[in-house]
């Protein structure tokens, strides 16, 4: 293990150079850890928003409805029944369920019209599955069977509505006939889910059913489970017990486009990391070449005294690995500090998007917090060391293959 | 007359025949005239609507029209030409801003072609509820071509003076189970000319949604036809759309394959 000791001595011989090279790696790791943490935080928060405000853990829907649910059709609705509810209640980890009816609305303030999504909610049950009422910033929830409505504060601002105003909602019944609901705005909410704030109006389920002539039908059941990780298996299991065409979908199905987007983002992060670490690798190559040039006579002497080429290469590789370890440790310490700052203070999303909400991609608004994942730390640490070692191989080979005589003369 | 002829014992078969024929024709004319006047007095609500529709809804036509869209003080004018037959219609905008924008209606489907993007879009779902080219006519309004008396139960409310003309006032309520946009419509129809003068369209909740008024009618090729009308969306203030027919030709020869998607591009 002579060469390892040598490598260690060489590292301590040029402390400043070692630290500076290690810093390059440390920064690369810091950037990766921060990006990854931020991504993870955004992903978790987006999923939470979808679960807590949009879909619940499970949705029980007619599968024909599911296909064109974005169109908010009034076809293929579900007729609620005690048997169906009893079946849903048997699901492992069941906590609560609620009924919802979604429909297309043209919201009208007398001057402009805006297409939004109307959601009829079962007021006694909805808060057991969803967290909407926690985000009320003004007023209160509608009363059951009334034509009171609540909407996002953002939407209200856009349409110039205040609490107490009446909003005319132009809708089409099941038979495509126009109908209107004069909804009294009794509350405004501001959720961390931007599209909810901008384009959703909530009203009592019975009122919606009555005006849409859906005769007690709903578009879906939303179910809350005790653990979000159960959702996938629970959805499969429940689907087998439901009569066709009914089917249970997990929140992951509901957020399919988001899940795909996050997967793509993940690849993007990896590519960024690869680029940054390549730059770090260039730094390492540079350092190794420098130290090799500096130690040319020394190397020539060692070779003349019978040291193998292989051992010289190992020495340089050990040195590089050392730099990788030092850089990795520094990077992870910096990363932990950086992420802690992120986690304690959070970052206001409006500073990233110059004052606005994110209008695409993540369903997020307000302050975001980074997430932690121990595996990403381990991964980037090992990755850093491997890159350092690999970067040192070629310059080390170049140095080791020098003819001892030429090396000693340094020509 | 016959007695006289018999008396004179002068029977000319030819004279008799002619006389019989003439009197038969006269009687039938008198009868039909009588029938017509009584019918005009006791037309059922459905008959009034159908007579107006026969008058206004042309089967095959070529027309050039102008649309003036007013929205909170701003006004824009669009011109278009259109061809139609029983099932299909094609409209092409000719004003500079929208030149080349085309709409094609085939049965229950509606397509739109944007020349700049060379893009063909099928208008469906809730897009159908938007106003066509920013006007107060929705795309859906353009698509409803079924016979009104099949979709609505009409009732004659009485006769009323409207803008100096005597008009029938009728109310139509949606036939349960039919897919139509407006739950109830109140129509004023000119008693003599059988041209619609005004129409109010209501939502199921009873709210007035749209009001259409005919400002000018003209006699074209023997029928009275509304050439200038205005549509107001009653849910929005200060908006209206005027529709002026500049030229219309009934039963023209339409170019072959004019109502195909290939021709739209």
């Amino acid at each position: 293990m002579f060469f390892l000791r040598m490598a260690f001595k060489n590292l301590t011989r040029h402390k400043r150079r070692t630290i500076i090279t290690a810093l390059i790696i440390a920064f690369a790791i810091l950037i990766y850890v921060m990006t990854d943490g931020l991504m993870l935080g955004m992903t978790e928060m987006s999923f939470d928003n979808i679960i807590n405000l949009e879909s619940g853990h499970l949705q029980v829907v007619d599968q024909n409805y599911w296909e064109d649910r974005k169109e908010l059709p009034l076809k293929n609705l579900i007729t609620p029944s005690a048997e169906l509810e009893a079946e849903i209640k048997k699901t492992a980890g069941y906590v609560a369920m609620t009924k919802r009816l979604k429909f297309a609305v043209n919201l009208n303030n007398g001057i402009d019209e805006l297409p939004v999504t109307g959601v009829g909610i079962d007021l006694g049950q909805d808060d057991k599955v969803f967290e909407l009422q926690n985000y009320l910033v003004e007023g209160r929830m509608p009363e059951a069977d009334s034509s009171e409505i609540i909407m996002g504060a953002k939407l209200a601002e856009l349409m110039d509505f205040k609490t107490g105003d009446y909003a005319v909602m132009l809708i089409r019944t099941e038979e495509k006939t126009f109908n209107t609901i004069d909804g009294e705005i009794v509350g405004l909410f501001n959720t961390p889910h931007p599209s909810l704030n901008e384009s959703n109006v909530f009203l009592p389920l019975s009122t919606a059913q009555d005006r849409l002539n859906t005769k007690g039908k709903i578009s879906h059941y939303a179910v809350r489970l005790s653990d979000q990780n159960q959702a996938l298996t629970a959805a499969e299991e429940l689907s087998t017990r439901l009569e066709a065409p009914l089917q249970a979908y997990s929140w992951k199905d509901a957020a399919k486009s988001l899940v795909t987007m996050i997967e793509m983002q993940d690849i993007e992060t990896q590519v960024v990391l690869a680029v940054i670490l390549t730059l770090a690798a260039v730094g390492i190559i540079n350092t190794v070449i420098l130290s090799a040039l500096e130690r040319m006579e020394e190397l020539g002497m060692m070779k003349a005294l019978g040291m193998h080429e292989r051992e010289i290469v190992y020495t340089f590789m050990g040195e590089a690995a050392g730099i990788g370890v030092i850089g990795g440790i520094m990077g992870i310490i910096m990363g932990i500090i950086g992420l802690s700052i992120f986690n304690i203070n959070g970052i206001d999303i409006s500073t990233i998007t110059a004052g606005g909400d994110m209008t695409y991609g993540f369903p997020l608004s307000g302050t975001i917090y980074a997430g932690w994942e121990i595996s990403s730390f381990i991964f980037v640490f090992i990755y850093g060391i491997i890159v350092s070692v690999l970067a040192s191989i070629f310059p080390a080979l170049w140095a080791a293959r020098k003819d001892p005589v030429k090396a000693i003369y340094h020509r | 007359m016959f007695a006289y002829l018999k008396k004179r014992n002068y029977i000319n078969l030819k004279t008799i025949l002619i006389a019989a024929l003439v009197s038969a024709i006269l009687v039938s004319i008198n009868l039909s005239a009588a029938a017509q006047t009584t019918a005009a007095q006791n037309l059922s609500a459905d008959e009034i609507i159908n007579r107006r529709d026969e008058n206004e809804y042309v089967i095959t036509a070529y027309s050039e029209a102008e649309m003036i869209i007013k929205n909170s003080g701003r006004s824009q004018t669009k011109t278009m030409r259109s061809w139609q037959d029983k099932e299909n219609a094609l409209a092409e905008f000719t004003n500079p801003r929208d030149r080349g924008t085309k709409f094609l209606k085939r049965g229950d489907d509606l397509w739109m072609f944007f020349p700049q993007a060379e893009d063909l879009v099928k208008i469906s779902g809730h897009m159908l509820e938007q106003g066509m080219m920013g006007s107060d006519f929705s795309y859906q309004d353009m698509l409803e071509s079924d016979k009104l008396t099949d979709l609505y139960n009409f009732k004659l409310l009485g006769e009323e003076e409207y803008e100096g003309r005597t008009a029938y006032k009728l109310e139509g309520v949606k036939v349960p189970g039919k897919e139509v946009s407006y739950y109830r419509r109140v129509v004023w129809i000119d008693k003599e000319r059988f041209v619609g003068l005004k129409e109010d369209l209501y939502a199921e909740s009873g709210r007035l949604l749209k009001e259409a008024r005919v400002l000018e009618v003209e006699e074209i090729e023997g029928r009275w036809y509304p050439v200038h009308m205005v549509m107001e969306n009653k849910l929005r203030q200060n908006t209206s759309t005027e529709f002026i027919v500049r030229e219309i030709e009934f039963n023209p020869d339409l170019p072959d394959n004019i109502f195909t998607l290939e021709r739209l591009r």
Side-chain angles (χ1 to χ4, degrees):
Chain A
M1 287 291 118
F2 167 71
F3 58 86
L4 269 187
R5 252 185 296 138
M6 235 327 244
F8 183 70
K9 279 195 175 141
N10 282 337
L11 279 178
T12 50
R13 194 157 72 171
H14 296 283
K15 290 196 187 74
R16 199 178 298 155
R17 191 167 66 205
T18 308
I19 300 282
I20 288 171
T21 318
L23 264 180
I24 303 173
I25 301 214
F27 272 111
I29 288 175
L30 172 69
I31 290 168
Y32 175 76
V33 166
M34 296 288 278
T35 323
D36 201 58
L38 191 63
M39 284 284 303
L40 197 72
M42 283 164 78
T43 309
E44 276 172 7
M45 286 180 66
S46 305
F47 285 161
D48 281 352
N49 283 344
I50 286 174
I51 293 169
N52 295 331
L53 293 162
E54 202 181 305
S55 76
H57 287 127
L58 294 183
Q59 280 176 289
V60 176
V61 192
D62 185 307
Q63 62 190 63
N64 301 313
Y65 178 89
W66 185 259
E67 281 159 26
D68 34 46
R69 64 188 192 280
K70 297 252 157 70
E71 299 270 326
L72 306 169
L74 292 175
K75 286 189 184 117
N76 303 314
L77 299 180
I78 309 177
T79 312
S81 69
E83 300 95 76
L84 178 58
E85 283 173 23
E87 208 60 63
I88 295 172
K89 278 183 188 155
K90 282 189 220 154
T91 314
Y94 169 85
V95 176
M97 76 170 117
T98 185
K99 294 176 273 197
R100 281 188 161 193
L101 175 61
K102 287 185 162 193
F103 53 99
V105 174
N106 265 334
L107 192 65
N108 195 303
N109 63 359
I111 297 163
D112 283 311
E113 233 173 50
L114 198 70
V116 296
T117 305
V119 187
I121 55 174
D122 184 355
L123 281 150
Q125 286 292 317
D126 209 70
D127 56 345
K128 290 176 187 152
V129 178
F130 295 104
E131 293 179 351
L132 183 64
Q133 65 177 17
N134 300 349
Y135 297 101
L136 278 181
V137 287
E138 214 183 303
R140 55 177 174 83
M141 293 293 278
E143 266 164 30
D145 304 324
S146 67
S147 44
E148 294 173 340
I149 61 171
I150 56 169
M151 64 172 75
K154 202 138 209 162
L155 179 62
E157 193 190 331
L158 187 71
M159 297 291 284
D160 228 2
F161 282 133
K162 281 185 272 306
T163 44
D165 286 354
Y166 281 84
V168 178
M169 310 202 306
L170 185 64
I171 54 177
R172 277 180 186 263
T173 65
E174 208 179 5
E175 288 171 353
K176 303 261 197 282
T177 306
F178 280 120
N179 204 352
T180 55
I181 303 173
D182 292 350
E184 185 190 353
I185 303 168
V186 294
L188 302 177
F189 55 81
N190 188 17
T191 69
H193 193 326
S195 69
L196 218 62
N197 299 343
E198 282 159 17
S199 65
N200 278 47
V201 174
F202 292 86
L203 67 160
L205 178 65
S206 57
T207 311
Q209 286 170 332
D210 180 50
R211 296 305 170 87
L212 292 162
N213 291 346
T214 59
K215 299 170 197 81
K217 287 185 188 163
I218 55 166
S219 44
H220 64 270
Y221 277 102
V223 182
R224 178 162 282 271
L225 304 174
S226 48
D227 179 11
Q228 70 177 53
N229 298 323
Q230 291 176 321
L232 248 66
T233 46
E236 266 174 42
E237 188 268 333
L238 180 55
S239 290
T240 58
R241 284 187 287 126
L242 292 172
E243 266 172 55
L246 292 187
Q247 191 137 19
Y249 295 90
S250 74
W251 59 272
K252 267 209 161 132
D253 297 314
K256 206 151 213 163
S257 55
L258 181 67
V259 172
T260 326
M261 193 191 83
I262 284 167
E263 278 166 9
M264 299 303 293
Q265 292 263 29
D266 231 29
I267 296 170
E268 216 177 286
T269 319
Q270 305 299 333
V271 170
V272 171
L273 168 77
V275 171
I276 293 170
L277 282 177
T278 311
L279 291 177
V282 172
I284 301 227
I285 292 171
N286 186 39
T287 306
V288 173
I289 291 176
L290 264 177
S291 60
L293 280 174
E294 217 175 60
R295 275 185 266 150
M296 211 43 105
E297 291 96 336
E298 203 180 305
L299 286 173
M301 181 69 77
M302 283 178 191
K303 267 186 101 172
L305 289 174
M307 194 169 178
H308 291 290
E309 251 175 46
R310 200 172 1 109
E311 282 167 328
I312 293 172
V313 172
Y314 284 163
T315 312
F316 278 109
M317 276 167 70
E319 222 178 302
I323 292 174
V325 171
I326 296 167
I329 291 169
M330 289 200 303
I332 281 169
I333 291 170
M334 291 196 300
I336 288 172
I337 295 169
L339 278 185
S340 309
I341 295 171
F342 244 158
N343 257 0
I344 294 160
N345 299 320
I347 67 170
D348 193 350
I349 223 153
S350 55
T351 57
I352 304 179
T353 55
D357 272 337
M358 263 194 233
T359 46
Y360 59 90
F362 288 102
L364 278 180
S365 69
T367 310
I368 48 171
Y369 297 93
W372 295 93
E373 202 174 42
I374 203 80
S375 61
S376 94
F377 281 81
I378 297 170
F379 164 76
V380 76
F381 183 74
I382 293 169
Y383 194 89
I385 294 172
I386 292 173
V387 167
S388 315
V389 171
L390 288 179
S392 68
I393 292 177
F394 283 100
L397 274 174
W398 168 79
R401 289 199 178 136
K402 284 253 162 178
D403 182 24
V405 181
K406 278 186 184 158
I408 290 169
Y409 276 111
H410 207 320
R411 299 255 141 72
Chain B
M1 192 167 78
F2 280 42
Y4 167 76
L5 284 173
K6 265 182 188 164
K7 210 174 170 184
R8 290 279 306 264
N9 236 0
Y10 176 74
I11 298 164
N12 184 331
L13 201 64
K14 207 174 166 188
T15 326
I16 293 170
L17 271 177
I18 291 171
L21 211 67
V22 168
S23 56
I25 288 169
L26 278 173
V27 165
S28 72
I29 286 172
N30 272 337
L31 275 179
S32 68
Q36 220 169 29
T37 46
T38 50
Q41 275 152 10
N42 302 312
L43 276 183
S44 74
D46 279 12
E47 279 166 342
I48 298 171
I49 294 290
N50 287 338
R51 280 197 66 173
R52 176 197 69 167
D53 289 358
E54 275 164 33
N55 221 8
E56 290 183 13
Y57 296 126
V58 288
I59 291 179
T60 314
Y62 166 76
S63 62
E64 282 174 22
E66 194 176 299
M67 203 156 75
I68 304 168
I69 301 165
K70 289 182 186 145
N71 188 354
S72 16
R74 276 182 303 165
S75 159
Q76 45 177 329
T77 305
K78 295 176 192 293
T79 54
M80 58 174 138
R81 16 184 223 156
S82 55
W83 297 261
Q84 65 184 89
D85 69 8
K86 201 173 176 198
E87 298 263 284
N88 315 310
L90 174 73
E92 182 183 1
F93 284 83
T94 48
N95 56 309
R97 208 180 138 180
D98 307 301
R99 181 164 294 149
T101 303
K102 291 177 194 165
F103 286 95
L104 175 66
K105 168 188 175 283
R106 275 167 62 92
D108 290 336
D109 297 321
L110 189 66
W111 281 275
M112 188 180 183
F113 176 74
F114 299 97
Q116 284 93 351
E118 296 209 353
D119 197 10
L120 194 62
V121 182
K122 183 164 192 257
I123 298 175
S124 63
H126 52 85
M127 266 168 81
L128 285 171
E129 277 149 52
Q130 310 293 315
M132 171 188 169
M133 300 292 275
S135 72
D136 294 300
F137 294 94
S138 74
Y139 293 112
Q140 190 76 44
D141 290 343
M142 289 178 55
L143 281 179
E144 277 177 11
S145 59
D146 285 345
K147 238 178 140 182
L148 271 183
T149 45
D150 291 343
L151 301 176
Y152 292 89
N153 288 321
F154 278 100
K155 194 169 80 188
L156 186 61
L157 295 180
E159 287 176 24
E160 224 175 66
E161 278 293 296
Y162 177 79
E163 309 257 315
R165 309 257 341 150
T166 317
Y168 292 113
K169 186 181 177 188
L170 298 120
E171 180 195 46
V173 177
K174 188 187 96 130
V175 174
K178 295 277 184 192
E179 291 198 350
V180 287
S181 294
Y182 304 101
Y183 182 75
R184 191 167 80 93
R185 52 211 302 162
V186 178
V187 205
W188 283 259
I189 293 173
D190 192 308
K191 199 179 164 186
E192 244 175 85
R193 299 170 175 167
F194 289 96
V195 182
L197 298 173
K198 186 182 171 194
E199 188 153 8
D200 286 344
L201 304 165
Y202 293 88
E204 196 165 336
S205 57
R207 189 179 267 272
L208 178 59
L209 296 177
K210 282 181 183 173
E211 183 193 275
R213 280 174 294 135
V214 171
L215 304 178
E216 214 182 314
V217 289
E218 240 174 60
E219 196 170 11
I220 301 165
E221 295 180 22
R223 58 167 123 189
W224 289 94
Y225 195 80
V227 290
H228 187 174
M229 54 190 235
V230 58
M231 179 81 128
E232 275 176 46
N233 183 343
K234 286 295 181 185
L235 288 185
R236 299 170 67 185
Q237 290 165 0
N238 307 325
T239 67
S240 69
T241 302
E242 273 181 59
F243 193 80
I244 305 162
V245 179
R246 292 281 176 224
E247 198 192 316
I248 186 160
E249 190 188 330
F250 299 123
N251 303 314
D253 289 328
L254 294 179
D256 285 346
N257 306 324
I258 183 168
F259 303 118
T260 56
L261 289 174
E262 290 73 34
R263 280 291 296 264
L264 203 56
R265 285 178 185 276

